[in-house]
Amino acid sequence: MVENQPISQVRKMRSGINVDAKVTSKGDTRSVNLKSGGTINVCDAVISDGEGEEDKIKLTLWGDDIDKVNLGDRVVITNGYNNEFKGEISLTKGKFGKMEVNPE
């Protein structure tokens, strides 16, 4: 079994991130251009595993994952990674990570 890390610690990490958290907000879906050509839908959500601001992180959802996640859901990210864009850190499952929604 994979050991989950607290979001307060995850914010300082780059890769190999394992988190179990609740979706506290979900933004609107937007379309972005891919470097390889074409477009993909993307949406930002906020997940939290505590009460404080340090216990929250932005979760970027891509493509089909957008419709899988709703407000109040529990998400478990395994082998995710952080990205920094315009000074803001966001977590994503990436190509090699896994995301479970409301696991048993």
Side-chain angles (χ1 to χ4, degrees):
M1 185 163 146
V2 177
E3 181 82 21
N4 289 315
Q5 297 120 340
I7 289 177
S8 57
Q9 179 185 339
V10 162
R11 298 174 71 79
K12 301 173 186 113
M13 297 173 65
R14 184 83 175 125
S15 61
I17 296 171
N18 304 310
V19 169
D20 184 341
K22 185 176 179 178
V23 178
T24 58
S25 71
K26 183 177 174 186
D28 294 328
T29 301
R30 62 193 186 283
S31 183
V32 296
N33 295 322
L34 296 170
K35 291 178 186 174
S36 58
T39 61
I40 190 168
N41 286 335
V42 65
C43 175
D44 294 324
V46 175
I47 59 173
S48 175
D49 65 359
E51 298 296 317
E53 203 56 39
E54 69 278 355
D55 301 320
K56 296 178 184 176
I57 194 166
K58 181 166 79 171
L59 173 65
T60 302
L61 302 165
W62 297 89
D64 294 338
D65 285 340
I66 296 169
D67 293 332
K68 295 176 185 173
V69 175
N70 295 298
L71 191 62
D73 284 347
R74 183 174 147 232
V75 294
V76 178
I77 306 284
T78 306
N79 197 30
Y81 73 94
N82 279 338
N83 206 356
E84 189 171 341
F85 183 68
K86 295 184 179 177
E88 187 174 24
I89 295 171
S90 66
L91 173 65
T92 188
K93 78 169 191 178
K95 187 191 281 189
F96 303 107
K98 187 171 111 178
M99 180 178 72
E100 293 177 89
V101 180
N102 296 320
E104 292 299 321

